[in-house]
């Protein structure tokens, strides 16, 4: 009975959404002509190269035009890590041992990971350093580095990320992101303003503070995701 | 090549629209079905991720413009601003994916703790709190 | 560095990022830092309120891009009043919860303090941001912190309440994301002022879909009837100070988000009647459910849902007088409900199943706390000398102006129900003789101070309501005329530059 | 022409993977279903000219979400209706008695 009721409900919702999206043509040009700024996207496309000197428009939007979103974004990840730590927290007396229950990984896995790990971390760092030129950026690069650490965590029992250093990197990265914002305020303009010169568009050193913010975000995301994975891997199944 | 693409795009316009919007809405409905129907907690969280995946696909779908290019001024494309796809939905989806991941991580940690207390991962056996 | 709305956000952020480091220096720091930050919030709101009185609006541009291009923070008289209310409450909750936990080792202490401080920052962020997607991000911050705090205690029910809250919260944020998506296709911008300006171009059929999706999304945060299944569990399982923060702060942010969507963004007539109906249903069902509750915190949770229903009804009536009455109710409810939650969780501190029956005759052993609880109970019900009376009176008079007799009758009937279940608790407190010899938790001096301040505030507003009403009247006028809001944010560039 | 064929094939695969991951009783395969959904979603984004989002979905959806699900399954049950677990408990009881 319940299944029938739910399926009817879903059909109603589906019909409701379908006929709103019938009026929105797929592939239709909603930006209008780019020069006149009546839509926000038109403004971004026509002014990013000139005003922010960044080749990747999305990086300019995420970091500079809508900088507060990314700040909120980084706090969401930081709070998820803290929340996770407090939900799965085992007090000192409950903890038997904190090392991970690693199933013995095969020889192929261990040697393969030893080769792959530096390559993945290098790729991740490349992605978030070139965030303002090529697709990718702080979030994507950080996640790739975290997958690298994940491989190491799974295959080597002895490999342990040094908790203290991780906390230092995480806090310093977050503080420098907010610090850049405060520095914008201190130097008389608004919060998170891109005050330095923006250089030539497609060169590595271009876009003023934007690449620096994205590198900082990259470090923070990498450390936080590794932290989440580390906490989750440390839980012992009951059986 | 370009005009050939255009008239194909116009000829099959309905199929393409159904192709993108239809799949996105269908994904959302599948996700909703799983959340409402399934008993197992992990299945419910899977439903939540699929619901989010549907919305992210819809977000990028509305941003697409017919034969537009990616909004990146790489060396060869300095002045092709008017042929670019809408960048704003993509910037929003970037944030939405990360938030979706954070919510899933917290949800799964709660599932682990619930299993530790109740020794079952079925939602109808965890009805300890009543109205 | 002139004081501006962004200080509400980046100062707690600096503190939150620094706490893990500073807690290595000395163990006590994670407890003290949130206090400093929340006290600084009070200073900011004091300074900004002066400015809002003269100028009417404060809009601050972020990252140097003017309003529709970049994100802007906007403080209107109503949002300024709510934010200063939240800052004061946040500080008092911190003061109350300073030594509240029995035994807590440093890992939990650090997480607890970061999450509590960021929940209040998220609520403030929801109120002052002028951009829809930014509103969504702050809503997520509140959602994640609230879930982690609900499941803070090691017990079984905390995780269950947390999971239920997260599931419904995840669904709500998916709906809000969908609404933002459809709105963006129609309007082409994300700034609330520009959306309000262009809203008339949206075809009505799509506009109603967007409105329904937003109402579902924010209804869950503002605890409208069908969507508030999570609230009583979350309130009762969360630690004392957190459930006070839920009732006093997080619900206000949710209600403000809903009101802003309906008043400033949309101009559909049907929305006001919807508010009245939704508020009515929420109030009746919540108060009825509160009647048969045995757990004290669940009863208080249902009562606060009912009060929020009443506030939505007042907003739904839509006249200047009604909106003013609703704001006054939000103010009173925040103060009184916080006092009730604080005193309630101390009375309940040691009893295992936290039922009302374990309250027998505690008044003899905790005279100070019981008196404050009684004051709170009388105030929320709306007895004359206390502040609750004025807000209910203004709502009834606003309803009378619009000849909504049915509304007046239901509000009075619900007040009677409230009187019944609150006096039942108070009578148990004083007149039933103490059967359980549960040793009672004596609160420390700082908890006593914060509760005393709230008690005094109830009396002060009760005797001199015009202390606050003048300000709220002009806030109601400004909330209602949308044109000046749009004109201010978009055209004038008088931001803080 | 390739655009439309690719679009339709991916749409069908996407829905098939989503339904598979909902219907399947063994949670490990259900989680692999979500992984496949993320892979195809990432290709979809690439097709819709959104390389940044494709990279995020690839890194976040395929790698990390799947691994978190697998860790959760390791700490809870693998079978959705927990029949296999009950059989194991029965077996353990009978071993103890014998």
């Amino acid at each position: 009975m319940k299944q029938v009721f739910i399926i009817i409900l879903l059909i109603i919702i589906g019909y409701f959404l379908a006929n709103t999206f019938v009026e929105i043509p797929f592939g239709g040009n909603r930006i209008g002509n780019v020069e006149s700024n009546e839509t926000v996207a038109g403004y971004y496309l026509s002014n990013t190269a000139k005003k922010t000197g960044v080749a990747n428009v999305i990086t300019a939007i995420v970091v500079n035009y809508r900088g507060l979103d990314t700040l909120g974004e980084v706090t969401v990840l930081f709070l998820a890590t803290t929340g996770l730590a407090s939900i799965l927290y085992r007090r000192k007396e409950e903890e038997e041992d904190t090392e991970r229950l690693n199933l013995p990984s095969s020889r192929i896995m261990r040697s393969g990971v030893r080769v792959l790990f530096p390559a993945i971390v290098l790729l991740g760092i490349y992605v978030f350093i070139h965030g303002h030129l090529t697709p990718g950026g702080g979030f994507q690069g950080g996640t790739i580095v975290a997958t690298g650490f994940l491989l190491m965590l799974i295959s080597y029992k002895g490999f342990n990320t040094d908790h203290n250093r991780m906390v230092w990197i995480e806090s310093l990265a977050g503080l420098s992101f907010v610090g850049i914002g405060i520095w914008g305020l201190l130097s008389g303009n608004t919060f998170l303003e891109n005050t330095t010169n923006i250089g030539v568009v497609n060169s590595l050193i271009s876009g003023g503070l934007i690449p620096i913010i994205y590198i900082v975000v990259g470090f923070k995301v990498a450390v936080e995701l590794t932290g989440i994975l580390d906490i989750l891997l440390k839980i012992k199944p009951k059986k | 090549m370009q005009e050939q693409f255009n008239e194909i795009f116009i000829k099959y316009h309905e199929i393409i629209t159904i192709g993108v919007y239809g799949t996105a809405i269908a994904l959302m409905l599948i996700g909703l079905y799983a959340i409402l129907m399934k008993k197992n907690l992990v299945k419910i969280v899977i439903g939540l991720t699929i619901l989010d995946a549907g919305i992210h696909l819809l977000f990028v779908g509305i941003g697409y413009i017919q034969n537009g290019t990616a909004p990146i001024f790489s060396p060869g494309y300095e002045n092709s601003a008017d042929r670019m796809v809408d960048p704003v939905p993509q910037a929003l989806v970037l944030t939405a994916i990360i938030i979706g991941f954070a919510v899933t991580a917290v949800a799964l940690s709660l599932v682990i703790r619930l299993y530790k207390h109740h020794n079952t991962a079925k939602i109808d056996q965890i009805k300890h709190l009543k109205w | 560095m002139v004081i501006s709305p962004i200080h509400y956000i980046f100062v707690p952020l600096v503190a939150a990022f620094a706490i893990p480091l500073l807690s290595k220096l000395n163990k006590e720091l994670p407890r003290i830092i949130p206090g400093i930050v929340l006290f600084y919030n009070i200073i900011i709101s004091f300074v900004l309120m002066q400015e809002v009185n003269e100028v009417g609006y404060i809009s601050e541009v972020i990252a140097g891009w003017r309003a529709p291009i970049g994100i802007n923070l906007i403080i209107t008289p109503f949002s300024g009043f709510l934010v200063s209310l939240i800052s004061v409450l946040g500080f008092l909750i911190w003061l109350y919860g300073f030594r509240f936990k029995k035994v807590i080792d440093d890992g939990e202490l650090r997480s607890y303090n970061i999450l509590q401080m960021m929940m209040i920052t998220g609520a403030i962020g929801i109120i002052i941001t002028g951009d829809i997607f930014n509103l969504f991000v702050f809503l997520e911050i509140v959602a994640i912190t609230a879930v982690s705090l609900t499941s803070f205690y090691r017990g079984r029910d905390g995780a269950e309440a947390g999971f239920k809250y997260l599931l419904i919260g995840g669904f709500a944020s998916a709906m809000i994301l969908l609404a933002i998506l459809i709105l963006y296709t129609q309007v082409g911008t994300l700034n609330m002022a520009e959306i309000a300006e262009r809203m008339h171009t949206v075809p009505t059929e799509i506009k109603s879909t967007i409105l329904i999706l937003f109402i579902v999304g924010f209804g869950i945060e503002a605890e409208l009837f069908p969507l508030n299944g999570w609230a009583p569990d979350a309130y009762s399982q969360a630690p004392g100070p957190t459930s006070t923060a839920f009732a006093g702060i997080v619900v206000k942010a949710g209600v403000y988000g809903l009101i802003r969507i309906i008043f400033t963004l949309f101009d559909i007539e049907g929305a006001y009647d919807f508010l009245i109906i939704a508020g009515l249903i929420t109030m009746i069902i919540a108060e009825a459910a509160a009647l048969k509750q045995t757990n004290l915190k669940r009863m208080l949770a249902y009562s606060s849902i009912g009060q929020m229903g009443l506030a939505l009804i007042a907003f739904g009536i839509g006249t200047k007088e009604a909106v003013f009455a609703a704001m006054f109710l939000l103010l009173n409810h925040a103060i009184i409900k916080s006092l009730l939650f604080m005193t309630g969780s101390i009375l309940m501190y040691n009893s295992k199943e936290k039922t009302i029956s374990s309250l027998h005759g505690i008044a003899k052993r905790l005279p100070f706390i019981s008196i404050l609880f009684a004051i709170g109970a009388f105030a929320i019900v709306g007895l004359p000398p206390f502040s609750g009376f004025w807000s209910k009176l203004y709502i009834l008079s606003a309803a009378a102006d619009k000849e909504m007799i049915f509304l007046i009758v239901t509000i009075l009937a619900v007040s009677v129900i409230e009187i019944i279940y609150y006096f039942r608790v108070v009578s148990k407190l004083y007149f039933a003789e103490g059967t359980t010899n549960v040793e009672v938790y004596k609160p420390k001096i700082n908890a006593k101070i914060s509760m005393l301040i709230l008690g005094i505030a109830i009396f002060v507003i009760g005797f001199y309501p015009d202390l606050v009403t003048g300000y709220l009247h002009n806030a109601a006028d400004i909330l209602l005329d949308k044109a000046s809001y749009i004109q201010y944010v978009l055209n004038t560039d008088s931001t803080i530059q | 022409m390739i655009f439309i064929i690719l679009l339709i094939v991916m749409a069908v695969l996407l829905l098939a993977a989503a339904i598979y991951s909902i219907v399947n009783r063994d949670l490990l395969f259900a989680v692999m279903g979500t992984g496949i959904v993320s892979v195809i979603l990432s290709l979809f984004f690439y097709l819709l000219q959104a390389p940044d989002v494709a990279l995020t979905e690839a890194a976040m959806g395929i790698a990390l979400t799947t691994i978190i699900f697998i860790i959760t399954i390791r700490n809870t049950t693998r079978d959705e209706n927990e029949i296999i677990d009950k059989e194991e408990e029965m077996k353990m009881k009978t071993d103890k008695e014998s």
Side-chain angles (χ1 to χ4, degrees):
Chain A
M1 218 318 271
K2 185 178 174 217
Q3 186 151 14
V4 170
F5 171 69
I6 285 175
I7 289 187
I8 293 165
L9 185 75
L10 289 183
I11 291 168
I12 295 164
I13 296 174
Y15 170 74
F16 219 49
L17 287 177
N19 64 33
T20 40
F21 278 96
V22 163
E23 269 119 34
I24 303 164
F26 173 71
N29 189 339
R30 278 180 281 278
I31 303 184
N33 74 43
V34 170
E35 291 324 318
S36 80
N37 303 349
E38 91 276 329
T39 63
V40 170
Y43 180 90
Y44 290 145
L45 288 177
S46 56
N47 292 338
T48 312
K50 292 195 285 291
K51 294 247 176 73
T52 55
V54 164
N56 185 346
V57 177
I58 295 164
T59 308
I61 296 175
V62 163
V63 172
N64 195 354
Y65 289 117
R66 302 182 63 82
L68 202 58
D69 274 355
T70 316
L71 193 61
E73 187 47 52
V74 168
T75 11
V76 164
L77 259 180
F78 175 71
L79 292 174
T81 316
T82 334
L84 214 77
S86 89
I87 290 171
L88 298 172
Y89 188 79
R90 296 185 310 282
R91 288 215 180 92
K92 287 291 170 292
E93 66 280 3
E94 285 162 16
E95 267 169 11
E96 319 84 33
D97 44 6
T98 54
E99 39 84 18
R100 296 181 302 283
L101 168 78
N102 273 34
L103 305 177
S105 52
S106 67
R107 178 136 301 287
I108 305 159
M109 172 84 166
R110 297 161 77 92
S111 49
V113 162
R114 205 180 304 121
V115 170
L116 262 179
F117 176 64
I120 291 178
V121 170
L122 196 63
L123 172 68
I125 291 170
Y126 167 80
V127 163
F128 67 65
I129 283 179
H130 286 76
H132 59 298
L133 298 173
T134 58
F139 295 117
Q140 298 87 339
T143 329
I144 292 168
V145 169
T147 34
F149 277 99
L150 169 71
L151 278 177
M152 286 298 280
L153 286 172
I154 289 177
S155 52
Y156 288 92
K157 196 188 274 290
F159 177 82
N160 252 324
T161 52
D162 162 12
H163 185 67
N164 196 349
R165 194 181 313 132
M166 288 236 292
V167 169
W168 269 95
I169 297 175
E170 186 180 5
S171 298
L172 284 184
L175 286 173
S176 48
F177 189 179
V178 184
I180 291 171
I182 297 170
W183 185 64
L185 267 179
L186 283 178
S187 64
N189 349 58
T190 57
F191 189 70
L192 274 182
E193 177 139 3
N194 192 354
T195 47
T196 59
N197 63 14
I198 47 172
V200 175
V201 171
N202 259 314
S203 63
L204 183 60
I205 317 289
S206 71
L209 290 175
I210 295 178
I212 298 160
I213 292 180
Y214 236 180
I215 290 167
V216 158
V217 166
F219 274 110
K220 188 159 184 33
V221 168
V223 167
E224 247 144 42
L225 292 178
T226 319
I228 287 182
L229 293 171
D230 202 28
I231 296 167
L232 283 172
L233 282 168
K234 279 210 174 81
I235 314 159
K236 294 279 180 318
K238 273 171 96 167
K239 312 196 246 314
Chain B
M1 227 318 260
Q2 211 46 38
E3 335 67 38
Q4 198 229 353
F5 178 83
N6 279 357
E7 39 92 2
I8 287 174
F9 195 91
I10 293 150
K11 194 145 66 85
Y12 295 99
H13 193 264
E14 291 70 28
I15 305 171
I16 296 171
T17 323
I18 294 163
V20 178
Y21 288 162
T23 24
I25 294 176
L27 264 182
M28 281 197 265
L29 295 183
I30 293 170
L32 267 176
Y33 176 81
I35 294 174
L36 296 175
M37 264 308 285
K38 287 298 165 187
K39 296 275 183 300
N40 185 307
L41 290 175
V42 175
K43 263 304 166 61
I44 293 172
V45 180
I46 287 177
L48 202 64
T49 17
I50 290 181
L51 174 69
D52 276 348
I55 291 177
H56 298 158
L57 178 57
L58 209 56
F59 241 111
V60 179
I62 61 163
Y64 181 73
I65 291 174
Q66 192 179 336
N67 58 50
T69 64
I72 294 165
F73 295 101
S74 37
Y77 290 81
E78 264 78 6
N79 40 31
S80 62
D82 49 6
R83 273 195 308 106
M84 277 189 178
V85 173
D86 182 347
V88 174
Q90 294 180 16
L92 302 183
V93 169
L94 213 81
T95 319
I97 290 177
I98 310 270
I99 290 184
F101 171 77
V103 168
T104 322
V106 174
L108 288 176
S109 65
L110 282 171
V111 166
I112 292 173
R113 220 179 96 183
L114 275 170
Y115 187 79
K116 263 205 174 112
H117 291 307
H118 294 274
N119 201 358
T120 166
K122 303 192 80 155
I123 201 155
D124 48 11
Q125 271 138 32
I126 309 177
K127 274 281 181 292
H128 191 260
L129 300 163
K130 307 173 291 310
W131 256 71
Chain C
M1 191 110 112
V2 69
I3 293 238
S4 63
I6 190 67
H7 289 238
Y8 281 122
I9 294 171
F10 77 74
V11 170
L13 265 179
V14 166
F17 290 141
I19 283 182
L21 286 184
L22 298 177
S23 73
K24 293 194 187 329
L25 263 68
N26 106 23
K27 283 286 163 280
E28 277 317 299
L29 270 177
R31 276 190 212 275
I32 299 155
I33 294 177
I36 302 165
V37 165
L38 291 168
F39 189 73
Y40 182 65
N41 271 355
I42 297 179
I43 298 169
I44 306 171
S45 24
F46 187 73
V47 167
L48 289 182
M49 289 298 272
Q50 312 297 355
E51 240 180 280
V52 167
N53 272 346
E54 297 124 22
V55 176
Y57 288 97
I58 300 178
S59 162
E60 183 184 9
V61 163
I62 304 283
W65 304 104
R66 211 173 38 75
I69 314 295
I71 299 173
N72 71 324
L73 302 178
I74 177 103
I75 293 204
T76 61
F78 182 31
S79 61
F81 145 72
L82 258 184
V83 168
S84 11
L85 176 69
I86 285 175
S87 312
V88 169
L89 270 180
F91 181 71
L92 288 180
I93 290 171
W94 170 79
L95 194 64
Y96 164 78
F98 191 66
R99 276 271 184 282
F100 188 71
K101 290 286 149 307
K102 296 195 247 312
V103 68
I104 193 166
D105 63 12
D106 63 346
E108 281 171 333
L109 179 76
R110 198 175 37 220
S111 316
Y112 175 78
N113 281 302
I114 293 178
L115 292 170
Q116 181 83 6
M117 183 172 63
M118 286 315 290
M119 184 160 73
I120 295 170
T121 318
I124 292 178
I126 287 175
I127 291 170
I128 60 175
T129 178
D131 182 281
I132 278 200
F133 193 73
N134 211 356
L135 185 73
F136 168 73
V137 172
F138 281 120
L139 200 71
E140 280 305 309
I141 288 181
V142 170
I144 286 205
T145 43
V147 164
S148 312
L149 283 169
T150 321
S151 44
F152 188 76
Y153 280 148
R154 301 260 70 70
R156 173 173 46 184
D157 305 339
E160 182 189 339
F163 187 78
K164 218 181 276 185
Y165 185 10
L166 194 75
L167 204 58
I168 299 179
F171 175 73
S173 48
M175 289 305 119
I176 292 176
L177 211 52
L178 201 55
I180 293 172
L181 181 143
I182 301 172
L183 197 60
Y184 179 75
T185 55
Q186 296 307 316
V187 172
T189 167
L190 289 167
N191 188 305
M192 289 211 195
E194 201 161 23
I195 290 173
E197 192 186 20
R198 293 192 184 160
M199 189 45 92
H200 55 80
T201 62
V202 179
T204 55
E205 209 237 11
I206 294 187
K207 198 190 285 185
S208 50
T209 327
I210 301 172
L211 187 64
I212 291 166
L213 287 172
F214 266 128
I215 285 177
V216 166
F218 280 102
I220 285 167
E221 204 57 41
E223 285 152 14
L224 285 180
F225 161 64
L227 313 159
N228 57 8
W230 60 272
D233 308 337
Y235 281 54
S236 52
Q237 296 312 323
T242 315
S243 49
T244 320
F246 277 166
I249 295 172
V250 175
V251 173
K252 302 292 175 299
V255 167
Y256 181 76
L258 197 62
I259 294 309
R260 201 166 180 197
I261 297 286
I262 287 177
F263 274 73
T264 34
L265 288 195
F266 288 81
D267 45 18
I268 303 178
E269 267 327 301
Y272 295 100
D273 323 333
F274 170 79
L275 264 184
I276 294 181
I277 299 158
L280 217 57
I281 302 169
T282 316
M283 188 168 68
I284 294 166
I285 291 190
E287 300 289 349
L291 206 54
K292 59 174 175 53
Q293 283 308 324
T294 54
N295 177 325
L296 181 68
K297 273 195 182 174
R298 287 179 75 88
M299 182 195 91
L300 290 175
Y302 279 115
S303 141
S304 82
I305 296 169
Q307 294 285 324
M308 282 304 114
L310 185 60
L312 288 179
I313 291 173
F315 274 118
I317 297 170
T319 61
K320 276 201 177 40
E321 198 48 36
V323 169
F324 153 72
M327 289 185 198
F328 199 18
L329 176 70
L330 285 183
L331 169 74
N332 289 334
H333 177 265
I335 297 172
I336 303 164
K337 191 56 72 171
S338 304
L339 180 65
L340 282 172
F341 264 103
M342 285 183 187
T343 44
S345 53
I346 284 185
L347 293 172
M348 282 286 138
Y349 198 80
N350 284 0
S351 71
K352 265 296 144 279
E353 64 297 332
K354 303 219 188 282
T355 54
I356 299 177
S357 55
S358 67
L359 266 180
H360 284 294
I362 286 192
K364 300 183 190 59
R365 282 172 279 174
L366 277 173
F368 177 65
I369 307 291
S370 322
I371 295 168
L372 283 175
F373 186 85
I375 292 169
F378 297 149
I380 195 119
V381 162
L383 295 184
F386 302 102
S387 58
F389 167 72
W390 296 104
S391 50
K392 228 161 220 175
L393 183 71
Y394 286 131
I395 290 178
L396 289 174
S397 66
D401 301 346
K402 293 263 275 190
E403 290 96 24
M404 292 183 175
I405 310 305
F406 172 69
L407 218 55
I408 299 173
V409 166
T410 33
I411 293 176
L412 289 177
V414 162
S415 311
V416 168
I417 300 175
E418 267 175 5
I419 291 173
I420 295 169
Y421 66 76
Y422 268 109
F423 281 12
R424 188 180 58 193
V425 174
V426 173
S427 64
K428 275 217 174 63
L429 210 57
Y430 278 93
F431 307 121
E433 71 299 326
T435 52
T436 61
N437 45 28
V438 147
E439 33 87 17
V440 169
Y441 167 75
K442 282 265 181 293
K444 298 197 179 35
I445 183 67
N446 53 41
K448 283 193 178 126
I449 294 168
S450 61
M451 286 188 275
L452 196 64
I453 294 172
L454 284 174
I456 294 164
I458 292 177
F459 273 106
V460 163
I461 298 175
F463 288 115
Y464 308 104
D466 44 30
L467 205 67
V468 183
T469 47
Y471 181 79
L472 288 179
H473 269 299
N474 119 54
D477 309 339
I478 291 181
L479 176 69
L480 281 177
D481 68 4
K482 215 161 33 163
S484 72
Y485 171 75
I486 298 169
Q487 195 269 340
Y488 179 80
V489 169
L490 291 182
N491 309 27
T492 60
D493 207 356
S494 66
T495 55
I496 298 162
Q497 205 100 25
Chain D
M1 206 44 197
I2 305 121
F3 178 80
I4 299 152
I5 298 166
L6 259 179
L7 200 76
I8 303 303
V9 165
M10 278 201 278
V12 169
L13 268 177
L14 196 61
L15 292 181
I19 293 171
Y20 176 76
S21 72
I22 297 290
V23 162
N24 201 314
R25 259 188 38 171
D26 185 343
L27 289 177
L28 211 54
F29 290 97
V31 163
M32 280 180 222
T34 32
I36 297 167
V37 164
S38 289
V39 167
I40 302 169
L41 207 62
S42 175
L43 291 176
F44 231 115
F45 290 152
Y46 183 74
L47 197 67
L48 295 174
Q49 301 294 340
D52 275 77
V53 184
L55 199 57
T56 321
E57 181 61 30
M60 202 58 106
I62 304 168
L64 291 184
T65 315
T66 323
I67 194 68
I68 301 183
F69 273 117
I70 290 169
I71 294 171
T72 325
I73 291 173
R74 183 175 80 157
N75 292 308
T76 58
T77 63
R78 179 175 165 174
D79 168 36
E80 189 184 351
N81 323 9
E82 286 151 11
I83 296 164
I84 302 170
D85 302 350
K86 292 200 183 58
E87 278 144 15
E88 272 158 25
E89 274 143 29
M90 296 304 290
K91 204 151 37 48
M92 273 188 304
K93 277 204 206 67
T94 46
D95 299 348
K96 268 197 226 76
E97 280 123 24
S98 64

